[in-house]
Amino acid sequence: MIVALDGSVLMVAQPSLQRDLSATLAQVQWTSTAYLLAVASLLVLAGRLGDRYGHTRLLLIGSLGFGAASAGIAAAPSIGWVIALRAVQGVFGALLQPATLALLRQVYPPDRLGPPVALRTSAIGVAAAAGPLLGGLLVAHLGWRSVFVINVPLALLIGLLCLAARVPEETGRSAPRRLEAGGALLLAAALALLVNALAEVEVHGWADRRTVAGLFCSAVVAAVLVRHERRSRNPLVPAAVARSVPVTASMALLLFTASGLFGALFVSTYFLQNTLGLDPLDSALRALPMTVLMVLGAPLAGRVLRGLGARATALGGTLLVVAGIGWLARADSGAGPVATGAAFALLGAGYATVMVTATATVVGDAPPGYAGVVGGLKQTSVNVGPVLGIAVAAGLLPAAGGGPAHQGSGSIGTALLVLAATAALALVPAGMLPGAERRGGPPEGAGRKAAEPVPCPTSPSEV
């Protein structure tokens, strides 16, 4: 929750931060980009460290470090300090996210992961929804620095809970293995180059040589990483994880649906404010049904998952996301709040269903001892997906690098249809998930069977 809350309140605080520190728009954008680069590039390594040294310990370090970095940002004298400390905050944020999923795996058996994962998804939805409201009140009365101050007591509370918690050791866990820095550095470099290139598409466009060079360099580093991992005795991503179809399919599912959803949210901002002429508050209210359905739909998705299995639940959730984006694509300047609200409600219900299903499957199918690295991979997908979706949307919108600076509903509709097609790609990995016989998680012996022959590691995605 603290990570979701921090991200949502920052969006409200950025204009005030820009004025107070006399920063440029590009510098303000880097307060988000620096954090995202740090998080996305370190999530898998953070999960691997948690598997080796203990996830409660990583959660404690991550929460305290996140709080300390937040306090530093609140006292920052210049925009340069804010950007640097946001990167530090991202490092500790990367420690937090895989640890929460791995601890769920240690406390709950695979066939009972649905309800706690649904509760986690609802909590994230509540935090994301409360962020803009809380941020608006804090910035209006106490200034932008207060949105970072609130992280400090929350981080301390999490730290105290970590010290008080008694988490059982994961059964069947293999002996800790030495981590090789080479694979971790290569993965961090590949993801950092990819995220940076995608984040710059909004400014430069897809055809710019900086975008092309960034994507090419990321692909080269990724190829070197694959070669290194195949030859390594202690790979960063264990073979037992890399060969798991439910794990890899869940990550692809999250990547495509997150791309479609967040790209659609990016485009809908232009539609609501430029085409319909709404102010930011009215735009947020039009999109509120999405958050409501995410919060309320997550527990229901957990029950559906338990009854129908991962495959049917994921297919249904993906179709809801595609339908929601398609509905937005059909909207015109006469679209009322009921029509747009219904489209956003479909998006919220669908994404909550996909999140609960993919998270429960990926964590439940993780071989014993590798829940952290699997959680890191899942979180990487959830972080990279939105960047990819926004890059696709930015390249198709005229005002965002795709052409002349006019904003027509035709280009918005085209962008949304492309994003709906992007989300529809998730139907392929959704169809590869286990069916109803798995009942929301693998059989009790599945993890042991996967881990015993090959006590190795895994790879990328989640948030």
Side-chain angles (χ1 to χ4, degrees), residues 29 32-41 43 190-203 206 211 215 254-266 351 379-395 419 422 462-463:
Q29 288 176 332
S32 296
T33 303
Y35 176 88
L36 181 60
L37 284 172
V39 169
S41 58
L43 280 167
L191 288 172
L193 288 167
L194 174 63
V195 170
N196 185 61
L198 293 175
E200 292 295 307
V201 169
E202 183 180 352
V203 179
W206 284 100
T211 302
L215 294 174
L254 286 169
L255 178 68
F256 290 127
T257 52
S259 297
L261 172 71
F262 286 91
L265 293 178
F266 178 84
Y351 193 62
Q379 289 301 119
T380 303
S381 294
V382 176
N383 278 280
V384 174
V387 183
L388 174 60
I390 291 172
V392 171
L419 290 164
T422 302
E462 82 165 63
V463 126

Side-chain angles (χ1 to χ4, degrees), residues 98-134:
T100 59
L101 290 172
L103 287 172
L104 287 180
R105 168 63 187 268
Q106 288 181 225
V107 174
Y108 294 93
D111 61 343
R112 292 176 55 202
L113 273 173
V117 167
L119 179 61
R120 179 182 184 269
T121 302
S122 294
I124 292 173
V126 169
L133 299 176
L134 178 61

Side-chain angles (χ1 to χ4, degrees), residues 24 27 72 74 111 133 164 172 222 318 325-326 331 335 367 373 412 444 451:
T24 65
Q27 288 174 322
D111 61 343
L133 299 176
T318 302
I325 300 173
V373 72
I412 291 177
E444 215 173 308

